[in-house]
Amino acid sequence: MTSSNFRSWPLYLILTVISMPLVIMYVYLFVDTVTDTTAGSLIPDRFTLHHWRFLWEEPETGRVSIWTVTLNTFIFATCTTLINVSASVTAGYALSRLNLPFKRFFLGGILTLHAFPTITLIISIFLILQMIGLYNTLIGVILVKAALELPLGIWIMKGFFDNVPWEIEMAGLQDGASRFTVWWKLVLPQVQPGVAALSVFVFLSAWSEFILPQVLAPSGSAQVLSTYLSNLIFDDMKPDFNMFKSVGVFYALPVIIIYLIFNKQLMNIYGGGTKG
């Protein structure tokens, strides 16, 4: 074991050297949000929380509170995740277990749909939301984002269900359990890593989404943090870059927290099961 660790230290050293500039950059970014620095200098002069005043001060006229925007972003990301994971788990199971006609054609089709960039579909999506009355609403953006993420989610979950042995379900059915009970209590626990990974990926994708909220919900009532951050710069004649950096750090904090919480699950993604 000691010899193995000794042989791997050059790799750790190389990764450390490569990562160090990024780590230093992010540390300096945070330090810059709580300090004031003289123009042309890299050394901070004094500590201050003035750049974080958006957390407790009343918003300026025409602006939305940062807490309202954060709530909108959380609702957007959470609802998108719940819709996507629920549909992906059920559809993935059906495609894995049922001998459906044209199944290969359907799987190829949904993967092809995911290959289209969002920007190429934005005009048609815009027109559809206007016709059904969901333009400029958070619900409309949630449905569109969930639909665009659904093809990849179905494909991923089908792969996980394919690795769960049929014997697990057969044993449950022979013991008198219903198909739903077998799916819920025997099959679904076997694919928990896939569900966890898909949930995190979809949540982070929705949390960082910018194009869809900017185009499909431009009003302040449906604003999310990505569009709030953009408006902070482009709506002002004299933008406050220190405040812009502070809002950016505030925006990134949930992503960092989620990674720290789910790091173990994301690093141990596997599919399959054992006969129980």
Side-chain angles (χ1 to χ4, degrees), residues 219-272:
S219 73
S221 59
Q223 200 174 43
V224 295
L225 280 169
S226 59
T227 56
Y228 179 90
L229 197 60
S230 173
N231 295 336
L232 199 62
I233 289 293
F234 295 111
D235 286 356
D236 289 344
M237 296 300 293
K238 295 182 179 180
D240 187 343
F241 287 102
N242 287 321
M243 184 175 173
F244 176 80
K245 287 182 285 187
S246 300
V247 175
V249 172
F250 177 79
Y251 184 25
L253 281 178
V255 177
I256 297 173
I257 294 172
I258 289 174
Y259 175 77
L260 293 176
I261 293 175
F262 294 99
N263 177 46
K264 185 176 180 179
Q265 288 83 345
L266 292 176
M267 294 298 105
N268 292 279
I269 297 175
Y270 67 93

Side-chain angles (χ1 to χ4, degrees), residues 93-99 103 161-174 179 182 186-187 273-275:
Y93 177 75
L95 289 170
S96 174
R97 291 299 191 251
L98 301 180
N99 189 20
K103 184 166 69 172
F161 282 119
D162 284 345
N163 289 322
V164 179
W166 267 103
E167 288 80 3
I168 293 178
E169 296 180 68
M170 294 299 102
L173 292 173
Q174 290 175 1
R179 288 301 299 264
V182 170
L186 298 180
V187 179
T274 56
K275 186 176 179 179

Side-chain angles (χ1 to χ4, degrees), residues 29 36 46 100 114 125 131 140 153 165 171 184 210 213 236 250 256:
L29 174 63
D36 279 332
R46 67 180 186 278
L100 301 173
H114 189 75
I125 293 173
M131 286 190 292
W184 181 259
F210 171 73
D236 289 344
F250 177 79
I256 297 173

